[in-house]
Amino acid sequence: MTAATLTAARPVVAAPARPRRLAVRAVQGGATAVVLAAVLHLRLDWAALRDLPSDLVRYLGLMFAHPDWSRLPYALEQTWVSVQMAWLGALLGVVVSTVLGVPAARGVGPWWLRLPLRAVFAVVRAVPEVIIAIVILTVTGLTPFTGALALAIGGVGTHARWTYETIEGVPPGTAEAVRAAGGNLFETARWGLWPAAAPELMSLALYRFELNVRTSAILGLIGVGGVGDLLTGYTQYRQWDAVGVLIVVVVVVTMAIDAVSGAIRRRITKGARARVVEGTE
């Protein structure tokens, strides 16, 4: 066979078309224009930005050079109030999210129930917990219970989504078997889906509590109690030595809760670590 014959028999491979960059460049240009417009609209004080590092060092010195440790007991008490607020909000939110999130999963609830539930979750996710607290405080007043309710309602949007996404990730075999045996929606969720999804859902519940601990400090800024409320009062009266103590307490308590919760979540999802017993080899 000649070289000409081989060349003729070889298939002709066309070069791929060059990708069009017009849409990508248009999006990049639009994002740049939005950022520039935002910077110009804010009318930033560039002189203040220039002095920001020195001011930050000065205030850090005021807070941590000579902290007032006599405020430590009260700071711990208010931090405990924030933790209680976070725990109650997580408990209420997880229960409601589980009850509503399971029928919102694909393959569990009918479409006429699943779609409205997901729309409600999306609306709740769009509203910050601070706004929810401002709305409900007209009924419950400026109390830690208001903060717990705001955390519970605000957490439903996100946690319910985690719930139905976890349920949708469960292998459908067991649920189909329960449904084929005549099981209703509750029985399918209880016996077909819950045993496989429970470890991941419990891990997400603990993670919800971790998030609520941080958010509870922010809710305290509007006066519902807890460490955020105390931080606002100390800052307004320029009691920087007390602010330093409060920040130390918040950081230490938050890190401790994260460490303990993270260890529990790893134990739930991955199980206990295997240990080698001496004399077994």
Side-chain angles (χ1 to χ4, degrees), residues 47-110:
L49 289 177
R50 182 190 59 199
D51 299 334
L52 180 61
S54 60
D55 291 340
L56 183 60
V57 171
R58 181 167 65 89
Y59 281 107
L60 288 176
L62 292 174
M63 287 187 289
F64 299 111
H66 302 285
D68 186 5
W69 294 108
S70 64
R71 309 295 181 97
L72 181 60
Y74 190 53
L76 290 172
E77 178 184 348
Q78 293 302 311
T79 303
W80 176 242
V81 171
S82 294
V83 172
Q84 291 176 310
M85 193 189 311
W87 178 252
L88 181 58
L91 183 62
L92 295 175
V94 167
V95 170
V96 175
S97 299
T98 303
V99 172
L100 299 180
V102 172
R106 190 177 293 105
V108 179

Side-chain angles (χ1 to χ4, degrees), residues 165-250:
E165 287 180 349
T166 301
I167 294 297
E168 290 175 352
V170 173
T174 307
E176 291 177 356
V178 175
R179 195 178 296 110
N184 54 27
L185 176 61
F186 175 78
E187 292 169 340
T188 301
R190 172 64 184 87
W191 304 110
L193 298 173
W194 179 256
E200 184 67 21
L201 292 178
M202 287 188 289
S203 175
L204 292 173
L206 287 173
Y207 184 58
R208 181 76 254 170
F209 170 61
E210 293 179 24
L211 295 178
N212 282 0
V213 171
R214 299 178 178 88
T215 309
S216 63
I218 300 175
L219 291 180
L221 298 177
I222 64 174
V224 297
V227 67
D229 194 4
L230 188 61
L231 181 61
T232 302
Y234 286 158
T235 304
Q236 289 178 346
Y237 288 100
R238 301 295 190 268
Q239 297 178 352
W240 302 116
D241 51 354
V243 171
V245 173
L246 191 59
I247 292 177
V248 170
V249 170
V250 170

Side-chain angles (χ1 to χ4, degrees), residues 120-147:
V120 171
F121 301 154
V123 171
V124 174
R125 284 197 304 271
V127 183
E129 287 85 350
V130 175
I131 304 300
I132 297 175
I134 292 174
V135 172
I136 64 178
L137 66 81
T138 57
V139 178
T140 57
L142 292 173
T143 63
F145 183 64
T146 300

